[in-house]
Amino acid sequence: MHDVKNHRTFLKRTKYDNLHLEDLFIGNKVNVFSRQLVLIDYGDQYTARQLGSRKEKTLALIKPDAISKAGEIIEIINKAGFTITKLKMMMLSRKEALDFHVDHQSRPFFNELIQFITTGPIIAMEILRDDAICEWKRLLGPANSGVARTDASESIRALFGTDGIRNAAHGPDSFASAAREMELFFPSSGGCGPANTAKFTNCTCCIVKPHAVSEGLLGKILMAIRDAGFEISAMQMFNMDRVNVEEFYEVYKGVVTEYHNMVTEMYSGPCVAMEIQQNNATKTFREFCGPADPEIARHLRPGTLRAIFGKTKIQNAVHCTDLPEDGLLEVQYFFKILDN
């Protein structure tokens, strides 16, 4: 690997256990020996054919009626071999809903469709795998949830949908539709798309760390948070760079001995930030996360998030706000400063 800027070899061929084949796709950010790299193209035609031939991106949309089942749906997505490359909980305006459902304009149920999709938050995701468009449609099942329960009983719409409109989730039918819809939710121009759902009241911050995201634990963590009685009122995937992480973790600098390793972990891949709401949210959620060291957590608080999903003091599954006065500040950092 050659460093073009400094005209020197950065890395010779070597084994690196933290990088996996599914991480190698155009546009992804990977961390190699503490250096963040953006993958912009294949090295040669052979590599392009081997890795890029059938790789597709498509839109996966969790509708308002299934937001409470987001953990289960994300778990299904991960188990089916998809990589979630973008994720954001959003609230659609009427205009955004009209743009999204433009293909259904002449249908008799069009107004009901628009009304439903704007009744509450949705979660939009960009997901990646071989034959993604076709495979995601297969996982969804028939558009009518009643038909899905008969013809595809294990499908997402059979499990979580109610009827033909309140059918839990959506996926585009074609490559052209996928491109158009992803542009609405995740504009390539760098704009932020539909507004996030952060409320900035009675809140604390939770971040699912990169190692937990890459290990496919996001769905399970969301289910655990919901089952413990917390409300996830905003959620978004971020690829943080070192400067952002150092700014966010500044309070720990010189205080926590693991500070530098904490920083490196947080920008090693995508993380998922959340606004968590409950009374006395910072205190109760910090208790639910458990001690920072998962080994200690497993002995003292075995039901906590870090006890169940953490591996080491650095890779301990989640960050949570420590001080009550920092809850709102940390939520604002992600959902006001980074999301603009």
Side-chain angles (χ1 to χ4, degrees):
M1 194 179 293
H2 191 69
D3 184 337
V4 178
K5 189 177 176 182
N6 297 309
H7 305 291
R8 62 186 175 87
T9 300
F10 160 55
L11 187 65
K12 293 184 178 178
R13 185 170 179 168
T14 184
K15 187 178 180 186
Y16 191 68
D17 291 332
N18 293 339
L19 201 59
H20 306 104
L21 197 60
E22 56 267 28
D23 299 325
L24 303 177
F25 58 89
I26 302 299
N28 197 26
K29 292 179 182 176
V30 296
N31 198 282
V32 179
F33 295 119
S34 298
R35 182 174 292 202
Q36 193 176 61
L37 305 169
V38 182
L39 304 180
I40 59 169
D41 203 355
Y42 297 106
D44 52 42
Q45 284 302 308
Y46 175 79
T47 308
R49 281 196 301 273
Q50 292 299 307
L51 292 184
S53 57
R54 293 167 60 209
K55 280 269 189 284
E56 285 178 349
K57 290 178 179 178
T58 192
L59 178 79
L61 198 75
I62 300 176
K63 296 184 178 182
D65 59 320
I67 283 290
S68 65
K69 298 294 183 183
E72 284 86 346
I73 293 171
I74 287 170
E75 178 75 354
I76 290 168
I77 288 169
N78 279 323
K79 280 188 171 172
F82 286 93
T83 300
I84 299 170
T85 48
K86 291 175 185 172
L87 178 152
K88 185 176 177 181
M89 188 184 281
M90 304 170 174
M91 194 77 191
L92 291 186
S93 67
R94 181 172 172 82
K95 184 193 179 304
E96 287 161 347
L98 289 167
D99 288 344
F100 175 53
H101 281 311
V102 68
D103 293 345
H104 296 302
Q105 231 167 343
S106 58
R107 303 284 182 90
F109 54 79
F110 181 65
N111 285 333
E112 191 183 353
L113 206 58
I114 298 301
Q115 188 180 357
F116 165 63
I117 202 77
T118 54
T119 54
I122 59 166
I123 295 172
M125 289 170 279
E126 181 186 87
I127 58 175
L128 172 91
R129 64 158 279 178
D130 290 351
D131 301 323
I133 294 166
C134 181
E135 284 301 307
W136 175 232
K137 290 298 284 183
R138 187 184 61 77
L139 275 186
L140 283 172
N144 187 299
S145 300
V147 175
R149 278 186 277 278
T150 304
D151 295 353
S153 59
E154 295 300 304
S155 67
I156 287 168
R157 285 165 173 162
L159 294 170
F160 308 116
T162 306
D163 54 35
I165 289 176
R166 292 156 193 79
N167 60 358
H170 162 83
D173 290 321
S174 66
F175 188 82
S177 294
R180 183 187 71 80
E181 291 177 12
M182 283 190 291
E183 190 62 31
L184 284 173
F185 293 101
F186 304 108
S188 56
S189 61
C192 58
N196 69 54
T197 55
K199 296 174 181 174
F200 306 114
T201 56
N202 301 326
C203 61
T204 192
C205 182
C206 171
I207 305 169
V208 181
K209 292 188 172 182
H211 80 92
V213 173
S214 71
E215 289 162 29
L217 297 176
L218 178 61
K220 290 187 175 76
I221 291 171
L222 295 181
M223 286 186 262
I225 291 170
R226 176 203 61 202
D227 292 347
F230 295 95
E231 183 193 348
I232 299 167
S233 45
M235 177 165 56
Q236 190 166 342
M237 181 175 278
F238 291 92
N239 278 284
M240 298 181 77
D241 58 31
R242 188 176 195 110
V243 174
N244 291 145
V245 180
E246 286 176 344
E247 191 174 41
F248 182 75
Y249 271 159
E250 193 176 13
V251 67
Y252 299 105
K253 192 174 185 179
V255 177
V256 178
T257 54
E258 298 87 3
Y259 168 77
H260 290 294
N261 290 332
M262 285 166 61
V263 168
T264 301
E265 162 60 25
M266 194 61 91
Y267 76 83
S268 66
C271 65
V272 175
M274 290 178 259
E275 178 188 69
I276 305 287
Q277 289 199 308
Q278 202 191 53
N279 288 334
N280 200 5
T282 301
K283 182 176 183 291
T284 52
F285 191 74
R286 191 180 70 238
E287 288 171 358
F288 175 59
C289 289
D293 188 331
E295 278 303 312
I296 294 171
R298 280 188 273 274
H299 282 101
L300 301 181
R301 307 278 304 285
T304 57
L305 285 180
R306 286 164 174 161
I308 297 166
F309 302 110
K311 299 199 298 189
T312 66
K313 201 169 178 184
I314 304 304
Q315 294 190 327
N316 59 357
V318 292
H319 161 87
C320 61
T321 309
D322 283 321
L323 303 172
E325 59 269 25
D326 288 344
L328 177 59
L329 290 172
E330 291 193 359
V331 169
Q332 286 175 331
Y333 186 80
F334 283 98
F335 295 100
K336 274 192 177 169
I337 297 170
L338 292 187
D339 182 36
N340 59 34

